[in-house]
Amino acid sequence: MTVEARDDPAPTRAQQRRERERAAARESILSAARELARSEGWDAVTMRRLAERIDYSANFAYRYFTGRDDILLALVRDGFTRLRETMDTASKQPMSGSATRASGTDVAAIRRAAHAYLDFALTEPDLYQLMYGLGGVRVPAADTWVEGQAVGDVLTGLLAAAGDRQPEQHVLQLWATAHGLIALLAVGRVDVDSAALHALLEDALTDCLTRALPTPAASPRRGTRSTGKRQL
């Protein structure tokens, strides 16, 4: 006589409520960490300071995270997930104008995804610095390798769809440009506005796509370039 396998029972209302409460508590802690880092830097994010900020006992955060490093890891993983989603969404936006050729659409998607990467870093500089170890606090890259790789996979897939035979190599070149611009801005080595950064990235995209793709589309200018000052 055999016992038939049974599906796991559906969670009860009480279990669902506890799970919602747990998710809300975790998010309140993560939100407090982001706000504290934004105002005082990542070094200020400690379990004690977080408890003070959310007005709970010092042990409250330990119910949901093993410690500060666990909180930072959760923030980095969430950051990479949101960055990937932002780039993916941007790449799928309807193409403006009358261009209908597949190659033109593919190239426009690549450009939108690359500029979305830069916009994310400019909009959330504190989180971006934590994700890439620019803020003096590091989360081991091996712990978020899968999430970080997924960001690069967005551009890799778009380049491959457009006919690039070496998409991984060209993603590395584009990432080095975008990340390099952001890093120089973060440490105060360049004094440029966001329009100038996007213009520099656009030039790099045009150079890369000219080499990488059979018939890349011409660069659509995003506006007047702001020269700015550079400090090398």
Side-chain angles (χ1 to χ4, degrees):
M1 182 176 179
T2 59
V3 178
E4 294 182 359
R6 297 180 179 177
D7 295 333
D8 292 335
T12 65
R13 289 185 179 180
Q15 290 172 328
Q16 292 175 344
R17 184 182 67 255
R18 285 194 296 270
E19 187 57 35
R20 288 194 300 269
E21 292 172 350
R22 175 180 174 80
R26 284 178 59 90
E27 180 52 38
S28 70
I29 295 168
L30 295 177
S31 178
R34 287 190 291 265
E35 293 172 2
L36 188 57
R38 192 175 298 118
S39 60
E40 301 183 38
W42 288 107
D43 285 334
V45 179
T46 65
M47 301 300 276
R48 180 182 61 80
R49 293 294 305 280
L50 288 174
E52 293 174 353
R53 200 170 188 90
I54 59 180
D55 198 24
Y56 275 88
S57 68
N59 291 327
F60 177 78
Y62 284 105
R63 300 178 188 175
Y64 306 98
F65 296 96
T66 60
R68 175 176 181 267
D69 290 347
D70 194 26
I71 291 174
L72 298 182
L73 178 60
L75 287 168
V76 171
R77 284 176 170 164
D78 177 67
F80 277 125
T81 298
R82 290 197 289 118
L83 175 55
R84 175 188 59 76
E85 292 173 348
T86 297
M87 294 171 63
D88 188 54
T89 299
S91 72
K92 294 176 181 176
Q93 291 176 354
M95 189 173 180
S96 61
S98 58
T100 57
R101 293 182 299 106
S103 60
T105 302
D106 291 340
V107 169
I110 295 168
R111 293 184 186 280
R112 288 196 300 269
H115 285 290
Y117 178 100
L118 185 57
D119 278 331
F120 180 93
L122 294 173
T123 302
E124 301 200 46
D126 301 295
L127 178 58
Y128 184 90
Q129 289 175 29
L130 177 64
M131 290 162 59
Y132 288 102
L134 298 176
V137 176
R138 296 182 60 85
V139 173
D143 292 347
T144 58
W145 185 263
V146 173
E147 294 84 357
Q149 189 67 29
V151 172
D153 288 344
V154 174
L155 276 180
T156 300
L158 292 170
L159 284 165
D164 188 354
R165 296 184 178 181
Q166 295 180 303
E168 293 86 359
Q169 174 181 324
H170 295 128
V171 166
L172 182 58
Q173 293 174 351
L174 291 173
W175 176 59
T177 298
H179 179 70
L181 290 171
I182 297 162
L184 288 171
L185 182 66
V187 299
R189 289 296 181 179
V190 294
D191 181 17
V192 294
D193 59 17
S194 61
L197 290 177
H198 278 290
L200 290 168
L201 177 59
E202 187 61 42
D203 287 344
L205 279 163
T206 297
D207 292 342
C208 180
L209 295 177
T210 298
R211 297 190 307 272
L213 304 183
T215 54
S219 168
R221 289 297 170 186
R222 293 170 59 93
T224 303
R225 179 182 302 183
S226 174
T227 304
K229 299 178 181 178
R230 304 182 192 182
Q231 183 186 57
L232 301 180

